[in-house]
Amino acid sequence: MALRFEIMGRFNRARAAQLTLPHFTCQTPLFMPVGTQGTIKGLTTQQLEEIGCQIILGNTYHLALRPTSELIDELGGLHKFMNWPRAMLTDSGGFQMVSLLHLADITEKGVTFQSPVDGKPMLLTPEESIQIQNRIGADIIMALDDVVRTTITGPRIEEAMYRTLRWIDRCIAAHKRPHEQNLFGIVQGGLDPVLRDICVRGLVDRNLPGYAIGGLAGGEDKDSFWRVVAQCTASLPEDKPRYVMGVGYPLDIVVCSALGADMYDCVYPTRTARFGTALIPEGVLKLKHQVMADDTRPIDPTCDCMVCRNYTRAYIHCLVTKYAMGSQLLSYHNLYYMMKLSRDLHSSIVQGQFPEFVRKFLQRMFPQGDVPQWVCNAMEVAGIDISSCCAPFTTRNTVFSDEISSLKPQNSCKNPSAT
Amino acid sequence: MKFAVKAWSNCKARTGCLQLGNCPTAIDTPALLLSTCKGLPNFISPDLLPSLPSPDSHLLQFSPLHFLEGPSLKTISSIGGLQHLLGLHEYVFAAVARDSVQCLPECNASNKFGASFETTCGRRLIKPVEYVELISSMRPDIWASLADEVPSWVSDKRNKTSVDRTVRWLDECINLNSTGGAIFGAIVGGNDMEERQRCALEVVKRNVSGYWIGGFGLGESIDERPALLDAVTDVLPEELPRMICGLGLPEEILQGIAAGVDLFDSAYIYHLTLGGFALTFPLNGIAEKRPDTHLNDDASDRTKINLRATLYRKDTSPILEGCNCYACLNHTKAYINHLLNVHEMLAQILLEIHNTHHYLGFFRSIREAIKAGKFQQYHQKFVEGRRNHLALPAAAINS
Ligand SMILES: [Zn+2]
Ligand SMILES: [Zn+2]
């Protein structure tokens, strides 16, 4: 084990902690930007440090293809290769294969896939995934799991869960750098509480440095999503970090943190930036929309980032989706927003202000009081009273019509994303 | 705007000092104007700009035509012009219609009413009155009058027309001007020495703050250029600054400086950066004579290297040993090679930073050579270094 996890504050299930990793001491809850190919798209490592980024994620599958893990190893590891002094996490590569490649096939041996280089069948075994991640050298490495779509049901889910448990032992056995890198296990089991429970217990028995909740954020309904998170966080050990994979919507992060999760990753903030969308406390702002052309306000008047201090929506509007600078500036703002959200979650928990923080967050995102039912349900379990954020049922109809007109300049930032 | 020539070398090359309202320190010339897209460098975000040498990097060139799309002129004007729109308060903006990248003159479609350009929003005909409207809302510190630029191969008749129109449009620009920005009168004339001179003499008669020399980099050969440049600068008064468009290569910059030009654009850097190239030539103007260790390697032509080359796959040295730009202080050739291979934007960010930094250093060393009265030697050494390099492969084959 190469980490320390010290809880600094709590509110019911929510916790704020200090996570000491080989390369950096992080404050949780935290969001990890995804740097697929050894760079966060459009930002320098200096900018990432400036906005308070603590840990970034690298994608094993992409890095193994180019520049190859052997080369990264030869040049001293990914930290050195990309000059990132802070913490890093790599995924196992399995999810990328299953989601990116049509012909991936999972057997007991591992994930068989067609090489994108020469089309030959290749096999990624748990041992190989760990070997590659050992070469890349991230602070946290992920076990290879058997990934299935959350939306499917039946015996395949059960098979995947048991296989994930069998593979974790192979991963542990293959892990050559346990004193420099932390191997996290991944809880699978679809939306089935019984399977999730078996998986959690199986992994906890292995006494890993940390645990991830996998197989979510794949199109399942939100009520199922938070219930799985709540179930897993309730039975995972208190003194180990908990990472919900693939979660990146600010609302989801707030809810999961209230339920006791600590770490998140998602391409959403940077990907949505490239499509011209900014994250703001009220939801999202689509900078491409014509009403932005002459809007002289900053993206988010309450944001202190370099972009909001200097630029109007009108100027960003003329850059987005057309010029590199548009996505550079929007990615910067969006990641700044995510880092600020992480800091606010941490400090509000430490200062005993967490329920107030959640209420303020919800009030800004849902000024009409139309907090989604799943959020209300989750907050009940989290023990956070948000009744002051929720309008009585009868007023909900008017909310909908406002959302339709959400692109009028006055309302454009008052409304949550048209998700 | 204040401009003063401080020293001449033992030729027409000169060094001067340009003082503009917002920039806290005067900028020494010859100087490079950073190319921009909608007012910002292509890949260097405003928070990274201060990592470049200052005040050398504070001159920005933009094309007002980039704003044919985007915020309305009323909005730009109400924000307070480009400086405020871009949040670059200590920077100097120079407006030139043509930018050599996204806004190119299309002489066949230009007519007596205005100049035509191929822009990102299609082909557009811009009349002087529209051009001045753009300028008025953006309030640049310096702006070049609208020119009818033609390539070198047009007929004498078309070339004459271009001079007539450019001079007439200059009058219109002067009459319409309400910005307070310094007008630079456009000088064209293609490949015809007499037309070049006729245009320059007409512009000199007008009330302008400087001169903008257009119509270069449009098909003329590098050998015929010195005479054409001299034809223009010989008739220009010494005390006003001269800006030029379309000269980019180091040799071309040196040609311009030899003819007494003070300000240059940097579309060259943009093209280098997109191509994965990094400038590496020595700044002292003395190309080393030792045999090139990478003789058979097409990744280098001694002024630049191509970081896409597999040669750099495992090269953990910075782009240029001794360079103190952000890219060289923080990253290796191997990393940039990887970024280029996987089409990551950070490659262009780092390359634009390095190339801009290096080119600003090139201008600094030129200014020092002029101040020391040694520009001609500097120029000659640079050209010889290049010639030796070009001769080397042939020698290698013969031996
Ligand atoms: Zn911001
Ligand atoms: Zn450099």
Side-chain angles (χ1 to χ4, degrees):
Chain A
M1 204 162 300
L3 65 77
R4 251 192 0 257
F5 187 74
E6 299 152 274
I7 294 180
M8 322 285 288
R10 287 175 197 278
F11 182 85
N12 291 343
R13 289 162 153 248
R15 64 255 198 98
Q18 181 163 291
L19 171 63
T20 308
L21 293 167
H23 288 87
F24 197 67
T25 299
C26 312
Q27 314 296 318
T28 70
L30 61 78
F31 175 78
M32 303 180 281
V34 180
T36 300
Q37 324 217 59
T39 163
I40 307 286
K41 289 193 190 303
L43 273 80
T44 63
T45 48
Q46 181 185 302
Q47 287 176 318
L48 289 169
E49 283 192 66
E50 272 163 20
I51 64 172
C53 179
Q54 313 182 72
I55 173 166
I56 60 170
L57 193 143
N59 285 127
T60 292
Y61 170 75
H62 288 97
L63 292 168
L65 282 177
R66 286 182 301 190
T68 74
S69 62
E70 288 81 3
L71 184 128
I72 292 173
D73 190 23
E74 195 184 325
L75 303 189
L78 187 56
H79 281 94
K80 200 172 166 204
F81 185 63
M82 65 179 287
N83 191 28
W84 174 245
R86 298 188 177 180
M88 205 178 274
L89 179 151
T90 46
D91 63 4
S92 67
F95 176 75
Q96 301 273 321
M97 285 180 190
V98 175
S99 60
L100 293 178
L101 303 170
H102 302 297
L103 294 166
D105 182 35
I106 302 175
T107 63
E108 193 56 30
K109 272 193 192 162
V111 184
T112 311
F113 63 101
Q114 221 181 2
S115 160
V117 180
D118 55 13
K120 286 188 186 138
M122 311 240 320
L123 178 69
L124 180 78
T125 61
E127 291 78 10
E128 227 170 353
S129 168
I130 298 301
Q131 203 181 26
I132 296 170
Q133 294 187 74
N134 280 163
R135 283 196 286 258
I136 295 172
D139 300 71
I140 297 172
I141 63 176
M142 301 303 297
L144 187 69
D145 54 347
D146 184 354
V147 187
V148 286
R149 248 182 261 277
T150 46
T151 45
I152 74 158
T153 50
R156 179 69 186 95
I157 298 280
E158 188 169 350
E159 182 195 41
M161 186 277 287
Y162 280 114
R163 182 170 287 148
T164 296
L165 279 181
R166 288 192 295 275
W167 283 1
I168 188 70
D169 292 321
R170 291 168 59 186
C171 289
I172 293 168
H175 186 16
K176 293 285 188 298
R177 302 174 65 185
H179 301 292
E180 298 147 292
Q181 294 183 284
N182 299 285
L183 173 65
F184 278 30
I186 304 172
V187 180
Q188 289 292 351
L191 304 179
D192 185 332
V194 177
L195 296 181
R196 286 277 176 183
D197 188 53
I198 296 168
C199 199
V200 167
R201 278 193 283 163
L203 290 176
V204 172
D205 283 346
R206 271 82 173 175
N207 190 28
L208 295 161
Y211 301 93
I213 302 167
L216 294 176
E220 71 282 354
D221 68 275
K222 286 292 188 183
D223 233 7
S224 308
F225 161 75
W226 79 258
R227 281 178 207 282
V228 170
V229 173
Q231 186 203 345
C232 295
T233 52
S235 45
L236 285 169
E238 268 296 306
D239 58 346
K240 301 281 174 67
R242 304 155 180 171
Y243 159 32
V244 187
M245 301 175 83
V247 162
Y249 294 126
L251 178 62
D252 295 3
I253 289 176
V254 170
V255 170
C256 291
S257 298
L259 294 169
D262 311 299
M263 302 165 69
Y264 313 93
D265 82 283
C266 193
V267 292
Y268 173 68
T270 41
R271 178 170 292 168
T272 207
R274 294 199 295 283
F275 294 120
T277 301
L279 304 178
I280 56 170
E282 291 79 8
V284 297
L285 193 67
K286 307 216 162 164
L287 271 308
K288 219 178 139 46
H289 200 278
Q290 199 50 44
V291 295
M292 299 295 155
D294 288 295
D295 192 330
T296 56
R297 289 173 292 176
I299 294 171
D300 170 10
T302 65
C303 178
D304 295 321
C305 87
M306 170 272 289
V307 181
C308 292
R309 276 188 283 110
N310 289 300
Y311 297 101
T312 56
R313 296 174 182 184
Y315 183 65
I316 305 289
H317 167 81
C318 78
L319 291 181
V320 290
T321 73
K322 280 194 217 120
Y323 302 99
M325 190 56 69
S327 50
Q328 283 174 243
L329 295 178
L330 264 192
S331 294
Y332 186 102
H333 164 82
N334 281 357
L335 288 180
Y336 185 95
Y337 179 85
M338 299 306 289
M339 296 307 134
K340 170 99 172 25
L341 177 66
S342 304
R343 282 195 296 275
D344 288 348
L345 285 165
H346 179 87
S347 58
S348 67
I349 296 169
V350 169
Q351 289 158 15
Q353 305 284 318
F354 186 58
E356 290 80 358
F357 172 79
V358 173
R359 283 194 286 269
K360 263 192 213 139
F361 178 89
L362 292 175
Q363 272 156 3
R364 286 194 76 177
M365 193 166 276
F366 306 103
Q368 317 275 4
D370 53 332
V371 179
Q373 192 57 46
W374 70 272
V375 177
C376 301
N377 299 341
M379 287 304 154
E380 210 172 306
V381 169
I384 294 171
D385 177 11
I386 58 161
S387 54
S388 63
C389 309
C390 302
F393 228 94
T394 45
T395 62
R396 292 240 170 122
N397 285 335
T398 58
V399 173
F400 184 67
S401 60
D402 258 1
E403 233 175 30
I404 299 283
S405 60
S406 70
L407 291 166
K408 281 189 296 189
Q410 300 88 338
N411 289 338
S412 55
C413 70
K414 282 193 185 165
N415 282 278
S417 109
T419 40
Chain B
M1 187 196 78
K2 280 188 202 142
F3 178 73
V5 178
K6 297 284 184 203
W8 274 265
S9 194
N10 46 355
C11 57
K12 289 172 74 181
R14 58 202 218 156
T15 173
C17 183
L18 187 65
Q19 177 81 60
L20 284 132
N22 318 288
C23 189
T25 15
I27 296 172
D28 289 340
T29 63
L32 181 70
L33 297 149
L34 271 51
S35 283
T36 69
C37 166
K38 302 210 185 216
L40 286 181
N42 289 283
F43 304 104
I44 307 175
S45 58
D47 56 322
L48 295 172
L49 266 179
S51 76
L52 293 172
S54 182
D56 311 38
S57 60
H58 283 237
L59 288 172
L60 302 178
Q61 177 179 305
F62 74 100
S63 169
L65 277 57
H66 288 181
F67 291 90
L68 292 173
E69 276 180 327
S72 67
L73 296 187
K74 224 179 109 195
T75 301
I76 297 176
S77 181
S78 73
I79 290 171
L82 218 53
Q83 234 143 22
H84 295 274
L85 184 73
L86 300 166
L88 295 172
H89 305 285
E90 299 190 342
Y91 285 74
V92 169
F93 285 91
V96 177
R98 162 194 171 194
D99 71 357
S100 305
V101 177
Q102 292 181 14
C103 205
L104 306 168
E106 178 43 66
C107 77
N108 292 324
S110 296
N111 57 35
K112 61 179 178 180
F113 301 111
S116 179
F117 297 89
E118 292 293 350
T119 74
T120 42
C121 37
R123 182 178 294 181
R124 301 290 282 261
L125 185 83
I126 304 294
K127 297 174 190 159
V129 59
E130 294 162 338
Y131 183 66
V132 174
E133 267 172 34
L134 288 163
I135 296 291
S136 304
S137 68
M138 289 167 203
R139 293 176 225 170
D141 304 271
I142 293 171
W143 60 288
S145 65
L146 191 65
D148 180 23
E149 287 188 90
V150 295
S152 60
W153 57 78
V154 297
S155 68
D156 290 351
K157 188 169 166 250
R158 179 68 184 86
N159 195 29
K160 272 195 173 57
T161 309
S162 116
V163 171
D164 294 339
R165 280 178 192 162
T166 301
V167 172
R168 198 172 70 239
W169 293 346
L170 171 60
D171 286 331
E172 286 186 50
C173 285
I174 291 171
N175 291 335
L176 292 162
N177 180 27
S178 59
T179 61
I183 298 193
F184 280 33
I187 299 169
V188 294
N191 271 21
D192 185 325
M193 306 256 287
E194 280 168 32
E195 285 303 305
R196 281 270 168 202
Q197 207 144 47
R198 178 169 76 94
C199 192
L201 287 168
E202 282 302 318
V203 173
V204 166
K205 289 181 201 157
R206 269 80 179 168
N207 180 21
V208 293
S209 308
Y211 303 97
W212 180 77
I213 305 169
F216 282 105
L218 294 174
E220 79 282 3
S221 79
I222 193 158
D223 296 328
E224 57 192 329
R225 197 178 290 134
L228 291 166
L229 286 170
D230 283 338
V232 174
T233 53
D234 281 346
V235 299
L236 297 180
E238 278 173 352
E239 66 276 12
L240 294 184
R242 301 126 179 208
M243 177 168 30
I244 198 161
C245 183
L247 301 192
L249 298 168
E251 295 90 330
E252 294 180 315
I253 300 288
L254 291 167
Q255 278 188 334
I257 289 168
V261 176
D262 308 299
L263 299 165
F264 296 82
D265 74 68
S266 63
Y268 174 58
I269 287 175
Y270 174 73
H271 293 295
L272 281 179
T273 299
L274 283 197
F277 289 97
L279 290 171
T280 52
F281 62 85
L283 294 179
N284 57 12
I286 305 153
E288 302 118 84
K289 291 268 159 56
R290 65 180 165 75
D292 198 336
T293 44
H294 303 312
L295 202 57
N296 299 318
D297 159 41
D298 60 355
S300 162
D301 70 353
R302 278 221 164 175
T303 54
K304 59 185 189 290
I305 57 174
N306 190 336
L307 285 165
R308 283 186 212 277
T310 46
L311 171 75
Y312 303 117
R313 219 172 96 81
K314 293 182 183 179
D315 190 332
T316 54
S317 63
I319 298 171
L320 181 61
E321 223 52 79
C323 176
N324 62 357
C325 82
Y326 174 81
C328 289
L329 290 180
N330 290 286
H331 295 290
T332 62
K333 292 196 194 83
Y335 183 54
I336 298 170
N337 173 263
H338 163 69
L339 294 174
L340 288 166
N341 281 335
V342 296
H343 309 288
E344 281 285 355
M345 212 190 296
L346 186 56
Q348 281 79 47
I349 297 174
L350 296 177
L351 284 176
E352 191 176 34
I353 289 175
H354 169 80
N355 287 331
T356 306
H357 188 100
H358 194 74
Y359 232 35
L360 290 171
F362 176 50
F363 275 80
R364 178 170 293 196
S365 69
I366 291 170
R367 291 194 297 268
E368 279 160 13
I370 296 172
K371 279 177 202 156
K374 290 180 176 163
F375 175 74
Q376 273 176 328
Q377 292 93 312
Y378 183 98
H379 189 175
Q380 205 176 342
K381 267 178 196 162
F382 193 95
V383 173
E384 272 170 16
R386 290 276 285 160
R387 215 174 276 144
N388 287 342
H389 164 66
L390 294 173
L392 268 175
I397 292 163
N398 292 338
S399 61

